[in-house]
Amino acid sequence: MSTVQTPLDTADTATGGPRRAAAWSDAVAALALVALLVLGAATHRFYTFDNLRAVLTSASLVGIAALGLTLIVIAGTSVSLAISETASVCAMVFLATQSWGLVPSLLVTLAAGAAITALQGLAVGYGEANPIVLSIAAGFALVGVATWVTGGTSVAPHGAGYIHLNATPGGIASSVYVLVAFTVLLELLLRRSGFGRTLYLTGANRRAATAAGLAVGRTITIAWLLAGALFAVAASFSGAFNTTANINLGGTLTFDAIAAVLAGGTPIAGGSGSAVRTLCGAVLIAALSDVLLLRGYSTGAQVMVKGLIVLAIVVVVHLRSRQGAR
């Protein structure tokens, strides 16, 4: 007896590709993990409690931003290349509004991050704009606006509310607790809500999701909006830690977040992935940077290693995808 395949069935079937891609990403990440454990055993002070805390703190700032990027990637809208610039602007907003108090300052910062990224999400979701080109343009615009407003100087706080974000309850940085809390909340949102299911189906096959009558444009816009809010959270912790902020504060955050998402096994093609995977990827990338730092390697060497991991994942997944398509 024949069966009729609906657009949603097509989208469900299409998730097989992303799952295979995630499996190959896992294989590359597992190799990196083995190399890390071996290198860590030969590195003085790597397996100490104090160093573990340093790794977790480093992973938390990148991890929170990477959680936001995970939504963008799962939606099948590639990545945002304006994370560093968005975080820098949000950190400047956070410190500039400290005189209003911590909570109002956080709310304004979250609203700024969400608005900046949601505007891009609108163009990607409803206008099918290229997310790479769009986010590059957005990054340039943010640099221009921030430089014009501040005259290129750093922003310093006029209040002390930000100090609370630097608290270390139980000896662990508060940003680590926030990372874990957001990971749980995001995982529940992805697995247990209609938004999460629509997001996966949109990322797996946008045309099929549209044909099935799903709110594709709205789902993508919400994904980008939530991503911007998470970029702003990471920026608030970064601004509080550094106590000043300028347009360069974000540094390599864009690349670090992309590395964490891909190392966690979320395929760049979308339709698969999870918050828990991104958490693992962020810790892996932070631990790799840490062991290289302990062994005296420069920042350039750390960036190169992370780049090689991302390159290996992208190349392996691409080659396996081409073989699977034949």
Side-chain angles (χ1 to χ4, degrees):
M1 186 172 69
S2 63
T3 58
V4 178
Q5 201 171 43
T6 69
L8 275 178
D9 294 330
T10 303
D12 278 331
T13 303
T15 59
R19 286 171 182 161
R20 285 193 295 273
W24 282 102
S25 295
D26 289 347
V28 176
L31 287 175
L33 178 61
V34 171
L36 169 66
L37 294 175
V38 172
L39 197 59
T43 303
H44 179 58
R45 293 195 307 111
F46 181 75
Y47 289 114
T48 63
F49 180 68
D50 286 342
N51 191 54
L52 175 62
R53 287 192 303 180
V55 170
L56 291 177
T57 301
S58 176
S60 64
L61 298 180
V62 173
I64 294 170
L67 287 176
L69 182 62
T70 301
L71 293 171
I72 292 175
V73 176
I74 291 176
T77 51
S78 190
V79 297
S80 168
L81 294 182
I83 299 175
S84 296
E85 291 81 2
T86 303
S88 295
V89 168
C90 287
M92 294 164 76
V93 170
F94 176 68
L95 293 179
T97 56
Q98 281 301 294
S99 59
W100 301 353
L102 178 60
V103 173
S105 178
L106 277 173
L107 292 176
V108 170
T109 305
L110 290 176
I116 290 170
T117 313
L119 286 175
Q120 299 167 59
L122 276 170
V124 175
Y126 289 97
E128 298 191 23
N130 185 309
I132 301 295
V133 176
L134 180 67
S135 58
I136 290 175
F140 276 115
L142 289 171
V143 170
V145 170
T147 304
W148 174 60
V149 171
T150 65
T153 60
S154 296
V155 175
H158 295 286
Y162 70 91
I163 293 176
H164 295 290
L165 297 190
N166 292 329
T168 56
I172 304 295
S174 56
S175 56
V176 176
Y177 297 102
V178 171
L179 170 62
V180 174
F182 274 122
T183 300
V184 173
L185 290 174
L186 201 59
E187 193 68 26
L188 290 174
L189 179 68
L190 289 170
R191 303 295 176 187
R192 303 291 179 84
S193 71
F195 165 77
R197 179 169 171 76
T198 302
L199 189 69
Y200 281 116
L201 293 175
T202 299
N205 192 326
R206 182 169 178 164
R207 288 185 177 179
T210 301
L214 299 179
V216 171
R218 185 177 65 192
T219 300
I220 291 175
T221 302
I222 292 174
W224 280 68
L225 182 150
L226 294 176
L230 286 166
F231 299 161
V233 173
S236 299
F237 279 106
S238 182
F241 179 76
N242 288 280
T243 68
T244 61
N246 58 39
I247 195 60
N248 298 315
L249 180 67
T252 60
L253 183 60
T254 297
F255 182 75
D256 291 339
I258 293 172
V261 171
L262 295 183
T266 296
I268 196 70
S272 182
S274 74
V276 173
R277 281 180 170 275
T278 295
L279 173 64
C280 295
V283 173
L284 174 62
I285 293 299
L288 280 170
S289 296
D290 179 76
V291 75
L292 292 172
L293 181 66
L294 289 177
R295 296 182 70 85
Y297 287 97
S298 65
T299 302
Q302 298 171 40
V303 173
M304 182 188 70
V305 170
K306 286 183 281 189
L308 290 174
I309 293 174
V310 171
L311 181 63
I313 290 173
V314 171
V315 170
V316 170
V317 170
H318 176 68
L319 291 177
R320 296 306 305 178
S321 298
R322 288 188 63 182
Q323 290 179 4
R326 290 171 183 171

